[in-house]
């Protein structure tokens, strides 16, 4: 029962990734009862067969034990490389492309804000305009660097740390640090992410 569950869930997970690669909502499609019937190769009044059109590569110490059955469920050969046992550890290290950097906003004088980006300094008269510019420009820089590093389907996340002090009952801006992270799965050879 455990092996059957492992085989079925592994096949569903691989199929979900393949469907997403082909432009479908993999999570929604794979949860449909017809997908379960297709993976079980249902043959009644209706024949339902679902699988992959590319070979399945099994990695990890247990790949040789489990992935032939997963490949059979998906209707393809499972290829288990010679050193598959250590590939999972390598994959954990390189499984995502992640690029991070920061923009710093200073206030050299009242009402004047400077955005310090890699190789660029811009001035603004409003703190909010400076922050919006910093996130937009930093996002563009991070996206390009992540794409150059091989990422596809890149997501951007930002954190703001605004430092102020109280003096004479007023809040005085010291600086803001905008930290950005671009993250994505490595692209398939054809250009899409895994």
């Amino acid at each position: 029962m455990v092996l059957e569950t492992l085989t079925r869930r592994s096949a569903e997970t691989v199929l979900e990734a393949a469907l997403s690669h082909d432009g479908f909502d993999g999570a929604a499609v794979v949860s449909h009862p017809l997908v379960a019937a297709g993976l079980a190769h249902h043959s009644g009044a209706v024949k339902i067969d679902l699988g992959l059109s590319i070979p399945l590569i099994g990695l990890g110490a247990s790949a040789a034990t489990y992935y032939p059955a997963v490949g059979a469920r998906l209707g393809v050969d499972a290829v288990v490389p010679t050193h598959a046992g250590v590939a999972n550890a390598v994959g954990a290290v390189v499984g995502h492309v992640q690029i991070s950097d920061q923009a710093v906003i200073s206030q050299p004088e009242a009402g004047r804000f400077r955005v310090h980006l890699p190789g660029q300094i811009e001035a603004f008269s409003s703190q909010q305009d400076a922050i919006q510019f910093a996130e937009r420009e930093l996002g563009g820089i991070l996206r390009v660097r992540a794409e150059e590093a091989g990422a596809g389907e890149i997501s951007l996340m930002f954190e703001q740390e605004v430092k102020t002090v109280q003096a004479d009952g007023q809040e005085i801006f010291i600086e803001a640090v905008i930290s950005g992270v671009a993250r994505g799965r490595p692209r398939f050879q054809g250009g899409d992410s895994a």
Side-chain angles (χ1 to χ4, degrees):
M1 186 170 69
V2 170
L3 292 177
E4 169 57 26
T5 301
L6 175 67
T7 301
R8 179 181 51 79
R9 303 252 344 238
S10 295
E12 290 171 351
T13 301
V14 169
L15 185 62
E16 180 180 339
L19 286 165
S20 296
H21 175 264
D22 285 350
F24 297 98
D25 182 350
V29 173
V30 85
S31 66
H32 196 279
L34 287 174
V35 170
L39 287 175
H41 309 291
H42 174 82
S43 184
V46 174
K47 181 180 178 184
I48 304 171
D49 201 11
L50 185 63
L52 296 179
S53 63
I54 57 176
L56 177 65
I57 310 297
L59 301 176
S62 62
T65 304
Y66 302 111
Y67 271 79
V70 175
R73 179 74 56 103
L74 293 168
V76 296
D77 290 330
V79 177
V80 180
T82 305
H83 299 290
V86 297
N88 199 27
V90 173
V93 174
V94 298
H96 283 89
V97 174
Q98 183 167 312
I99 306 292
S100 61
D101 210 334
Q102 294 181 328
V104 176
I105 302 170
S106 62
Q107 186 179 22
E109 58 189 57
R112 199 167 145 192
F113 299 87
R114 282 193 185 146
V115 178
H116 304 264
L117 287 158
Q120 177 182 5
I121 298 175
E122 297 289 333
F124 294 88
S125 58
S126 134
Q127 176 184 336
Q128 190 58 36
D129 288 345
I131 289 173
Q132 288 175 349
F133 175 82
E135 285 189 357
R136 185 177 64 246
E137 291 298 305
L138 185 58
I141 291 167
L142 291 171
R143 183 175 297 281
V144 168
R145 287 173 50 199
E147 287 171 354
E148 289 172 350
E153 295 183 33
I154 298 165
S155 64
L156 296 171
M157 295 166 282
F158 298 98
E159 286 185 13
Q160 298 178 10
E161 182 185 358
V162 179
K163 299 174 185 174
T164 60
V165 294
Q166 292 287 331
D168 296 328
Q170 293 185 18
E171 189 173 52
I172 299 173
F173 176 90
I174 302 298
E175 75 171 6
V177 178
I178 310 299
S179 301
V181 175
R183 184 177 173 151
R185 303 280 311 261
R187 286 188 300 270
F188 276 120
Q189 189 174 11
D192 296 326
S193 65

